[in-house]
Amino acid sequence: MTPDDVLAEFRAAGALLEGHFILSSGRRSPVFLQKMFVFQDPERTARLCAALADKVRATFGKIDYVVSPAVGGIVPGYETARQLGAKAIFVEREDGCFKLRRGFEIPAGARVLVVEDIVTTGLSTRECLEAISGHAGVTVGAAVLVDRSGGKVEVGVPMVSLLSWYVPDFPADDLPPELAALPAVKPGSRGIQGAKA
């Protein structure tokens, strides 16, 4: 699947939005990828995650566990794990920090991959990696459907993406006039369940 194919999937799902958006990081952008419009279609999700799983196999080899951050990473994490023949688990916020809950464990020697939907600053991925750092498995890398940083983001482990696409984003106090003139909308999920501000 080419980068153009990935964008075409988002466009066809009505998930490529333009306006003034407050991203999960707090930064502002004229473009938002509403991935849940993609994930509501199981066939589209399977196509994207199968392509991501192919890149994962080529880069990291066998994966035993896929760990994703709740909420946005659960669907692509599950489907990518299914394509890889791996277990799918997730971290969720407790007192503002990601933790493995629900009895999830990572056994010694397990090869672990963090799977995300979209990264801009990489904060959720880094928080997910931190949450699993004390567990027994070996984290081999991260995989993401869309890297909005154009390959600039560093998460602390090797990362592969289906689409590396630079989308401009700005601090809230330094917006270009054309963006500042539009009403801001916050469609992300980081504020859910006591997340850090």
Side-chain angles (χ1 to χ4, degrees), residues 1 31 73 128 159 161-162:
M1 184 174 280
V31 175
C128 186
M159 185 175 79
S161 65
L162 272 189

Short mmCIF file of all heavy atoms in Angstrom, two decimals, residues 1 31 73 128 159 161-162:
data_model
loop_
_atom_site.label_atom_id
_atom_site.label_comp_id
_atom_site.label_asym_id
_atom_site.label_seq_id
_atom_site.Cartn_x
_atom_site.Cartn_y
_atom_site.Cartn_z
N MET A 1 0.85 -1.19 0.00
CA MET A 1 0.00 0.00 0.00
C MET A 1 0.89 1.24 0.00
O MET A 1 1.77 1.38 0.85
CB MET A 1 -0.91 -0.02 1.23
CG MET A 1 -1.91 1.12 1.27
SD MET A 1 -3.09 1.01 2.64
CE MET A 1 -4.25 -0.17 2.01
N VAL A 31 -5.49 20.65 9.56
CA VAL A 31 -5.91 19.34 9.06
C VAL A 31 -6.08 18.39 10.23
O VAL A 31 -5.25 18.36 11.15
CB VAL A 31 -4.87 18.76 8.07
CG1 VAL A 31 -5.25 17.35 7.65
CG2 VAL A 31 -4.73 19.66 6.85
N GLY A 73 -5.89 3.97 19.93
CA GLY A 73 -5.02 2.91 19.43
C GLY A 73 -5.59 1.52 19.53
O GLY A 73 -5.01 0.57 18.98
N CYS A 128 3.07 5.28 26.37
CA CYS A 128 2.78 3.85 26.29
C CYS A 128 4.06 3.04 26.53
O CYS A 128 4.07 2.07 27.29
CB CYS A 128 2.17 3.52 24.93
SG CYS A 128 1.62 1.82 24.74
N MET A 159 10.58 3.16 14.63
CA MET A 159 9.16 3.25 14.31
C MET A 159 8.95 3.17 12.80
O MET A 159 9.70 3.79 12.04
CB MET A 159 8.59 4.57 14.83
CG MET A 159 7.08 4.69 14.65
SD MET A 159 6.39 6.19 15.41
CE MET A 159 6.82 7.41 14.17
N SER A 161 5.85 3.48 9.68
CA SER A 161 4.53 4.05 9.43
C SER A 161 4.09 3.69 8.02
O SER A 161 4.92 3.46 7.15
CB SER A 161 4.55 5.57 9.60
OG SER A 161 5.37 6.17 8.62
N LEU A 162 2.76 3.65 7.83
CA LEU A 162 2.23 3.47 6.48
C LEU A 162 2.32 4.77 5.69
O LEU A 162 2.55 4.77 4.49
CB LEU A 162 0.76 3.05 6.53
CG LEU A 162 0.44 1.59 6.61
CD1 LEU A 162 -1.06 1.37 6.43
CD2 LEU A 162 1.22 0.76 5.61
#
